[in-house]
Structures are given as structure tokens and as C-alpha cells.
């Protein structure tokens, strides 16, 4: 899970239920072409994310770190940072099917800034989950997100919905509709 990435309804459920791993790391390397006419890969894009968490009863604390870098051209031997983020977060289970997730940290992507997120997650039944999230920085509210996942066929077929509201007048953007299908072979 990225320090300040969009968390899906599925990830919220995994956190709430304790199904997520308490330590994880993810590496990603890409070698795209900078221009379509380039003979081969001309960029190197690297990403690294790490999660360390501690769980105690209905509380969970987490430390997350993200880094993304880019190297342009074959003659350039340096990998430049595009984004670095570190956050401390927590999850408090208010009652069995309701929890609050928080995240506070620093992000550097061109300029340094402090960021925070607060999410409420409600599981009205084992078939579904609803969440609402606020994200902001020292500049104020950056976005509100809402989402849901509903299992139409338990553990085999689900529908996931989501949208983001931007306060700058753009309104509701980034509407998402997804389908999850799990087949046993």
C-alpha cells in the first residue's frame, strides 16, 4: 500500500479484518520509450514501497515509505527522485463492523508538503463494504473519496464503485466501476 495512494474498498476490508500482511515491500521497474521513434527503451522508471505494521487488539499502527525515480536517456547515469513519501498511520476499530483509518506524513514531489487522510469504513454485512475518505494538506482539503464493494456471489463475483470529489470546482471526477471475479480451477 502506498503512503498516500488511493486505497480501494478491498484494501480497506483487508486492513479492517486483519487479513493484510503486517510487513510488505514492493519493487517496480519499467523501461519505456521516451519517444515512439526511439529504437529501444530510453527511460528507466523505478518505484519502491514498504509497509511495517503492528497490531494490538482493535488498534493497528503502520509506517509506510514510498519512493519513485526516473533516469532519462542512456547517457545519464543518475536516477532522479520524482516522489518520496513517508507516513505514519493507524486503524481503530470502533465497533465490529466500523473502523477509522488515519494517515499523516510528508511527501516530496517537486515541493515538500505535509499530507493527511482520514477514512471511515463500514461493513453493513459480510457481503459489502462502504467507505468515505478525506485527504488534505497544509493547503486545505485536496479531495473527498467514496466507494463501495458488494459481493453478488459471495467470494466469487463482486462489483466495486468509487468516485473522488475535488474542491477546486471540478466536482465529482474519477468515477470507477469495477468487477472482481474469482474462479476456482
Amino acid at each position: 500500500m502506498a503512503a498516500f495512494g488511493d486505497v480501494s474498498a478491498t484494501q480497506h476490508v483487508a486492513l479492517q479484518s486483519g487479513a493484510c500482511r503486517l510487513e510488505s515491500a514492493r519493487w517496480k521497474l519499467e523501461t519505456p520509450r521516451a519517444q515512439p521513434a526511439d529504437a529501444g527503451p530510453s527511460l528507466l522508471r523505478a518505484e519502491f514501497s514498504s509497509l511495517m505494521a503492528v497490531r494490538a487488539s482493535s488498534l493497528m499502527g503502520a509506517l509506510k515509505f514510498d519512493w519513485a525515480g526516473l533516469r532519462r536517456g542512456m547517457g545519464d547515469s543518475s536516477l532522479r527522485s520524482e516522489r518520496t513519501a513517508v507516513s505514519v498511520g493507524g486503524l481503530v476499530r470502533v465497533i465490529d463492523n466500523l473502523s477509522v483509518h488515519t494517515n499523516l506524513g510528508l511527501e516530496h514531489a517537486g515541493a515538500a508538503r505535509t499530507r493527511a487522510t482520514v477514512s471511515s469504513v463500514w461493513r453493513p454485512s459480510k457481503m459489502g463494504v462502504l467507505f468515505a475518505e478525506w485527504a488534505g494538506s497544509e493547503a486545505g482539503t485536496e479531495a473527498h473519496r467514496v466507494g463501495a464493494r458488494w459481493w453478488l456471489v459471495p467470494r466469487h463475483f463482486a462489483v466495486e464503485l468509487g468516485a473522488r470529489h475535488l474542491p477546486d470546482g471540478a466536482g465529482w471526477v474519477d468515477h470507477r466501476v469495477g468487477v472482481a471475479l474469482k474462479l476456482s480451477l
Side-chain angles (χ1 to χ4, degrees):
M1 242 187 243
F4 293 104
D6 288 347
V7 179
S8 70
T10 304
Q11 291 168 318
H12 277 301
V13 169
L15 279 170
Q16 187 181 41
S17 67
C20 76
R21 295 187 330 208
L22 298 179
E23 290 187 24
S24 66
R26 181 182 65 85
W27 281 96
K28 181 178 177 183
L29 291 173
E30 293 178 316
T31 56
R33 296 179 182 178
Q35 302 293 325
D38 289 350
S42 50
L43 297 174
L44 173 65
R45 182 171 287 125
E47 293 181 19
F48 174 74
S49 295
S50 175
L51 165 70
M52 292 176 289
V54 176
R55 183 177 295 279
S57 184
S58 63
L59 301 173
M60 184 180 87
L63 175 65
K64 299 175 189 174
F65 174 77
D66 278 331
W67 175 84
L70 179 69
R71 187 185 89 188
R72 294 187 181 276
M74 299 310 285
D76 185 0
S77 62
S78 62
L79 191 62
R80 292 180 180 82
S81 290
E82 290 185 312
R83 181 188 78 249
T84 304
V86 64
S87 71
V88 178
L91 175 144
V92 177
R93 187 170 302 158
V94 180
I95 55 176
D96 236 6
N97 59 357
L98 179 65
S99 64
V100 176
H101 304 194
T102 61
N103 213 11
L104 175 66
L106 301 172
E107 180 181 62
H108 191 282
R113 66 186 181 144
T114 304
R115 297 201 55 205
T117 61
V118 177
S119 305
S120 59
V121 181
W122 178 46
R123 290 186 72 181
S125 77
K126 290 183 181 189
M127 300 287 285
V129 64
L130 303 167
F131 75 89
E133 179 181 84
W134 171 89
S137 66
E138 63 270 4
T141 298
E142 294 179 357
H144 293 94
R145 287 183 53 234
V146 294
R149 179 171 223 182
W150 198 261
W151 287 97
L152 300 173
V153 178
R155 296 189 179 110
H156 292 287
F157 182 69
V159 174
E160 191 164 314
L161 308 168
R164 176 192 323 262
H165 185 272
L166 301 176
D168 63 1
W172 289 99
V173 298
D174 198 19
H175 306 284
R176 296 179 186 184
V177 176
V179 174
L181 183 62
K182 184 177 178 182
L183 298 173
S184 299
L185 300 175

